[in-house]
Amino acid sequence: MNSCRVFSGGSAHAAALAAAAAVAAGAGLFFLIRLLEGFVRGSMEVNVLIEEGAKILVFLAALTVSRFAVLRRLLQPDDSGSASGSEARLPAALTVALSTSAFLCIGSFGIAENILFFLSFPTGSVYGRLLYSFPIHLNTALLYCLGFLSGRILRVGLFLGLGFLYHLGLNRLSLDLPRAAVYPVGIVNVVILLLLYWRLRLKIALGSTFVIKE
């Protein structure tokens, strides 16, 4: 996904500003969640729920923005003085831009987590973590992109559930895995990442909207 290509009007400056804001928001979100998890001191399930819940809120914020854009188009009359049904549809470019911003936010969340881990434990284990843990955040973000771009409520719920179970399952698995096994599992994560990215690119190419179908 290239955020510089999806903004209507081809404004690379606006795309760069949106990308920077998304990255900053993701880093801030990580530290906010870290504080919350320290305050709650819950189980692994609770921590995963908090993290995935925060990611879901990022996409809900994007969905809210898109709904507002649709509403404005519905209320804005065309040259003939009436709102056009075709003009009321959210432009595909804006849809992809919102999804890209949400993805960048979650990606920045994962980067901040790994930087802090490396600063706390500056050892070679960071390579295993980058291969094993970082793709978890990217893969859940891609799942949520696919869910919201699908425009179907049931599919949205399914992908959100899959993201939570995927994150929780790999977190639990990491407790029992030998160090050498981290890398093969990490490679599987990267393969999943590539497949999800390919599916998302295909979805964008086919065209989609953020309009949720009842």
Side-chain angles (χ1 to χ4, degrees), residues 23 26 35 45 50 117 136 165 188:
V23 169
L35 287 174
E45 290 82 1
I50 291 173
F117 176 85
I136 293 177
L165 293 175
V188 172

Side-chain angles (χ1 to χ4, degrees), residues 5 18 28 32 40-41 43 45 52 54 65 74 77 96 101 103 117 124 147 154 166 176 179 182 206 209:
R5 296 176 57 190
L32 179 62
V40 174
R41 296 186 180 277
S43 63
E45 290 82 1
E52 295 308 313
V65 171
L74 284 171
V96 178
S101 296
F103 177 83
F117 176 85
L154 290 179
Y166 169 71
D176 302 319
R179 175 170 292 186
V182 167
L206 293 175
T209 68

Side-chain angles (χ1 to χ4, degrees), residues 99-113:
S99 180
T100 301
S101 296
F103 177 83
L104 286 175
C105 181
I106 295 175
S108 175
F109 177 100
I111 291 172
E113 180 183 74

Side-chain angles (χ1 to χ4, degrees), residues 174-196:
S174 68
L175 299 177
D176 302 319
L177 275 179
R179 175 170 292 186
V182 167
Y183 293 94
V185 176
I187 292 173
V188 172
N189 278 341
V190 173
V191 171
I192 294 173
L193 171 65
L194 295 175
L195 291 174
L196 288 173

Side-chain angles (χ1 to χ4, degrees), residues 57-81:
L57 288 177
V58 170
F59 279 90
L60 287 177
L63 180 61
T64 300
V65 171
S66 69
R67 290 277 188 157
F68 179 73
V70 170
L71 180 61
R72 286 190 62 182
R73 281 178 169 266
L74 284 171
L75 297 178
Q76 182 178 3
D78 56 21
D79 294 337
S80 64

